[in-house]
Amino acid sequence: MKRKYEWLEAEWSRMREQSLDRTWQTVEPIAEAGGAWIRVCGKKLLNLSANNYLGLAHEERIVEAGEKAARKWGAGGTASRLVLGNYPLYDELERRLAEWKQREGALVFANGYQANTGVIAALAGRGDVVFSDRLNHASIVDGIILSRAEHVRYRHNDLEHLEFLLQKHQGARRKWIVTDSVFSMDGDKAPLLALAELRERYGALLMVDEAHAGGVRGEQGQGLCHELGMADQVDVLMGTFSKAFGVYGAYVCADQPVIRHLRSKARSLIYSTALPPAVIGSTLAALTQIETDTWRRQALRQNASWFRQKLRASGFAVADEDTQIIPLAIGENERALQFSQKLLERGIAAVAIRPPTVPDGTARIRFTVMATHTPDELAWAVQELAAIRDELDGREAL
């Protein structure tokens, strides 16, 4: 039996040598801390790696809404939505999402990965070309592969390169430009206004993944496209409930012809059991919170700006951005793991991000701040970071 898996053992050894093996630790949330603190192996840690940006995951009204929905509709989904699994809750959520995003319709998916793979594979095919930013999320890449369209990657946020490629493929049946609005590992933003101009100039279609901007950008948290006033120039707006919403699932908003097509063609929607009613109930409550709790967005922006300033003042090189995702470049995989372990020992949860999630040689610590962090907590984190740097590098700034 051992010889049967020799190839897996060899691959595992290679991954360990390159510090690319992965494990996980069991996390216990501390609800009263609004997600800002967790316990791992009994140790209390400041949580600087969560996507719970607004601190809504433990909001009592959201938890209670999920419990109420479960009591009324049951604990789990009973079928796919096309096979008698479509409770009234789903219709209500999609109606509200469409109103929130100011589009004709919306569709709810099980998660962001299924939304991107299902939507792209349903809307693009042989004879089409999909232009994808080189740093787009893996779910976008996999969706393009599944679609069988030609996959053309342009250099990150490089508009000249994208335009060159659009000119090169002018004869394609359809041209899709797909991008994240806020990039999950770098925390920078896509040049959405310029992408909309290229869409118009070359007769392309545009899809924007607002996973890390939904809930935190825009007047009511609709996302970066709405903040910039160009959402009506986007053909498909995608977002998730697992980040700022603090729940689970994903959605797309678009005009009715697109929604109608996806309902009948998106395989990840058709062949998946509907989300449990408790999830939909909590998501509806979270949407209300997002629309009304402007203080959470303000607190998040202030915390992100303050944390970046403190890092710079301590000699760390961080990008001049305004998002809640703040990567600290390390470089080598093993060094990033050492840094993350030192943080853990000092009471901070901040995970090392390594290839293939990021390009080779760009391993990093990815910090994410939350609306529920306090200035004292963030200041303490910067002090600990500086101490670890001095310990590992002899006061050489990263």
Side-chain angles (χ1 to χ4, degrees):
M1 181 63 71
K2 184 176 180 180
R3 293 182 61 187
K4 180 179 180 180
Y5 297 113
E6 282 182 351
W7 63 281
L8 287 177
E9 295 293 343
E11 178 68 11
W12 179 250
S13 296
R14 184 192 66 81
M15 291 169 65
R16 294 196 67 179
E17 288 173 2
Q18 298 177 6
S19 297
L20 291 175
D21 55 309
R22 283 161 167 78
T23 59
W24 54 61
Q25 297 172 312
T26 301
V27 176
E28 299 177 49
I30 302 175
E32 61 271 19
W37 291 84
I38 57 175
R39 283 193 178 88
V40 176
C41 299
K43 186 179 180 65
K44 185 177 180 181
L45 303 172
L46 180 64
N47 188 359
L48 284 173
S49 279
N51 292 332
N52 181 23
Y53 300 133
L54 300 181
L56 290 176
H58 299 97
E59 177 67 26
E60 190 64 26
R61 283 172 287 185
I62 294 173
V63 173
E64 289 178 353
E67 292 174 348
K68 181 179 179 181
R71 284 192 295 270
K72 181 174 182 179
W73 301 103
T78 59
S80 73
R81 293 182 65 191
L82 290 172
V83 185
L84 302 181
N86 188 56
Y87 297 125
L89 281 173
Y90 301 99
D91 296 332
E92 181 183 354
L93 177 57
E94 288 173 346
R95 176 186 59 77
R96 288 193 55 192
L97 286 168
E99 291 175 355
W100 180 53
K101 287 282 194 173
Q102 301 168 325
R103 300 310 289 264
E104 292 179 2
L107 274 181
V108 170
F109 286 76
N111 53 54
Y113 188 92
Q114 290 197 14
N116 277 335
T117 55
V119 169
I120 295 170
L123 293 176
R126 288 188 177 93
D128 301 336
V129 178
V130 183
F131 302 88
S132 174
D133 189 289
R134 190 167 290 276
L135 295 187
N136 274 342
H137 191 267
S139 58
I140 294 175
V141 175
D142 291 355
I144 300 169
I145 293 171
L146 287 171
S147 76
R148 296 185 174 88
E150 184 173 354
H151 184 185
V152 176
R153 303 173 75 188
Y154 59 92
R155 290 187 291 269
H156 179 53
N157 281 347
D158 189 330
L159 296 169
E160 289 186 5
H161 188 217
L162 173 57
E163 183 162 19
F164 167 78
L165 294 170
L166 284 164
Q167 292 172 347
K168 181 179 178 181
H169 294 276
Q170 284 193 81
R173 182 178 64 169
R174 279 184 292 271
K175 298 179 285 293
W176 279 94
I177 301 169
V178 185
T179 185
D180 290 338
S181 62
V182 172
F183 291 90
S184 61
M185 292 298 129
D186 289 75
D188 57 344
K189 302 186 294 293
L192 294 176
L193 291 170
L195 290 178
E197 291 178 5
L198 289 175
R199 165 191 175 270
E200 184 69 23
R201 188 182 309 160
Y202 290 94
L205 297 142
L206 178 61
M207 176 176 172
V208 177
D209 180 336
E210 292 267 40
H212 295 276
V216 303
R217 309 295 295 223
E219 186 177 353
Q220 291 185 310
Q222 299 101 321
L224 186 59
C225 292
H226 281 77
E227 181 178 297
L228 296 173
M230 48 76 67
D232 59 345
Q233 300 174 66
V234 180
D235 298 284
V236 178
L237 291 160
M238 177 271 182
T240 64
F241 305 131
S242 57
K243 310 295 189 297
F245 278 70
V247 193
Y248 185 72
Y251 64 90
V252 294
C253 292
D255 293 336
Q256 278 298 346
V258 176
I259 297 300
R260 183 178 60 224
H261 180 82
L262 292 175
R263 190 181 293 120
S264 296
K265 288 289 188 177
R267 293 169 66 87
S268 61
L269 175 71
I270 297 168
Y271 299 109
S272 291
T273 297
L275 282 167
V279 173
I280 302 299
S282 288
T283 302
L284 281 162
L287 178 55
T288 297
Q289 294 287 106
I290 283 173
E291 289 175 316
T292 58
D293 285 1
T294 57
W295 70 265
R296 292 181 186 270
R297 281 186 287 282
Q298 293 170 355
L300 181 64
R301 294 284 288 270
Q302 290 170 0
N303 281 346
S305 176
W306 195 89
F307 192 52
R308 286 178 187 272
Q309 291 174 12
K310 289 294 181 182
L311 285 169
R312 291 193 194 97
S314 295
F316 291 99
V318 294
D320 185 20
E321 275 289 350
D322 63 352
T323 71
Q324 70 279 5
I325 300 169
I326 306 169
L328 188 63
I330 302 294
E332 297 301 321
N333 298 335
E334 179 61 28
R335 190 158 172 258
L337 288 173
Q338 290 176 353
F339 211 100
S340 180
Q341 180 60 35
K342 291 289 185 182
L343 285 167
L344 187 69
E345 293 168 1
R346 289 173 176 264
I348 299 170
V351 177
I353 305 296
R354 296 161 288 158
T357 307
V358 294
D360 288 338
T362 69
R364 67 200 65 181
I365 304 295
R366 174 186 180 266
F367 295 106
T368 53
V369 300
M370 296 168 55
T372 48
H373 283 134
T374 68
D376 287 344
E377 290 167 346
L378 296 175
W380 170 72
V382 173
Q383 291 175 0
E384 297 302 318
L385 279 164
I388 294 170
R389 177 198 58 205
D390 295 346
E391 177 183 344
L392 294 178
D393 299 325
R395 295 187 176 278
E396 179 184 350
L398 290 171

